[in-house]
Amino acid sequence: MERELTAAEWADAELIWHYHHLGHDLLPCSAALVLGGNDILVASYAAELYHRGLFPMMVITGATSPATEHLYPRGEAVHFMEIALQLDVPAEAILVEPNARNTGQNFTFSRQVFEHAGITPTSLLLIAMPYMERRAYATCLKQWPEVEPRCSSAPVTLREYVTMMGSAVEVVEMMVGDLQRIIEYPQLGFAIGQNVPQVVLAAFNRLLARGFTRLLR
């Protein structure tokens, strides 16, 4: 049985959760990039934003990873596409990028998909898991600097998200892993740098000391 988070761990997780959110206003963009993962809510939220008229075309990107191959054996992008179609997004509004296995590839491969379709977006709505907004944004600015990115994720609280995903420990591990990448990936050339406030960095280090290290690179 999974252990429960302490009050202090919840408090540190909340700090990191809010840091990962950028709070961008939802404005119309020339296209959307829907980032695959283990959270199917991303696909339904993308469909909702399409029906709200925020973009005319989306690329759904993602192959599989060790965390998703049992969930989406045909690939994240294919399964997300099927959800979008079930939610009445027309097939002609969806392009699929089925090969990306990391966030950098999500952008470089999706850019190629747009180019092959004759589409040159100037603004891009990045639709991602809630804890991935900031890393998606930083990666886009590095890998595709010609577009103006905005980020959005399903409007849920951390506790609601934990209930949906089924494991508080796993959600915290994912958030900690993404924060490590935000800190380290600029030096590797994968993303632009992001300011990490000291209070967030302190929460990160406390959670590392508490053992939330499984998804570190």
Side-chain angles (χ1 to χ4, degrees), residues 111-181:
R111 183 175 186 171
Q112 294 168 7
V113 170
F114 275 120
E115 289 173 352
H116 291 160
I119 300 169
T120 306
T122 56
S123 57
L124 203 58
L125 182 58
L126 310 179
I127 304 172
M129 295 175 286
Y131 63 85
M132 197 179 173
E133 281 191 28
R134 186 176 292 273
R135 185 158 70 91
Y137 178 75
T139 305
C140 184
L141 289 175
K142 180 68 175 183
Q143 304 295 335
W144 199 347
E146 295 84 0
V147 301
E148 177 186 356
R150 304 190 72 80
C151 292
S152 191
S153 61
V156 295
T157 68
L158 173 58
R159 289 182 183 267
E160 289 170 341
Y161 196 68
V162 163
T163 299
M164 289 168 38
M165 300 302 289
S167 169
V169 170
E170 182 176 348
V171 169
V172 174
E173 288 172 340
M174 291 189 293
M175 292 195 301
V176 166
D178 257 51
L179 182 49
Q180 182 207 30
R181 291 157 181 74

Side-chain angles (χ1 to χ4, degrees), residues 30-191:
S30 53
L33 185 60
V34 182
L35 295 156
N38 66 342
D39 176 6
I40 202 67
L41 182 60
V42 175
S44 57
Y45 184 59
E48 175 188 334
L49 297 185
Y50 172 82
H51 289 302
R52 287 166 60 179
L54 287 164
F55 51 86
M57 171 68 65
M58 68 178 83
V59 168
I60 305 176
T61 172
T64 59
S65 69
T68 63
E69 58 188 0
H70 65 292
L71 295 171
Y72 314 126
R74 297 189 308 283
E76 298 160 9
V78 171
H79 283 263
F80 280 28
M81 174 195 68
E82 292 170 350
I83 295 295
L85 292 173
Q86 290 169 14
L87 293 172
D88 297 323
V89 177
E92 59 268 24
I94 303 173
L95 297 171
V96 173
E97 186 295 296
N99 299 311
R101 295 188 179 274
N102 59 56
T103 307
Q105 290 179 354
N106 286 141
F107 286 95
T108 56
F109 293 176
S110 295
R111 183 175 186 171
Q112 294 168 7
V113 170
F114 275 120
E115 289 173 352
H116 291 160
I119 300 169
T120 306
T122 56
S123 57
L124 203 58
L125 182 58
L126 310 179
I127 304 172
M129 295 175 286
Y131 63 85
M132 197 179 173
E133 281 191 28
R134 186 176 292 273
R135 185 158 70 91
Y137 178 75
T139 305
C140 184
L141 289 175
K142 180 68 175 183
Q143 304 295 335
W144 199 347
E146 295 84 0
V147 301
E148 177 186 356
R150 304 190 72 80
C151 292
S152 191
S153 61
V156 295
T157 68
L158 173 58
R159 289 182 183 267
E160 289 170 341
Y161 196 68
V162 163
T163 299
M164 289 168 38
M165 300 302 289
S167 169
V169 170
E170 182 176 348
V171 169
V172 174
E173 288 172 340
M174 291 189 293
M175 292 195 301
V176 166
D178 257 51
L179 182 49
Q180 182 207 30
R181 291 157 181 74
I182 287 168
I183 294 167
E184 296 185 358
Y185 277 10
Q187 288 72 39
L188 299 174
F190 299 157

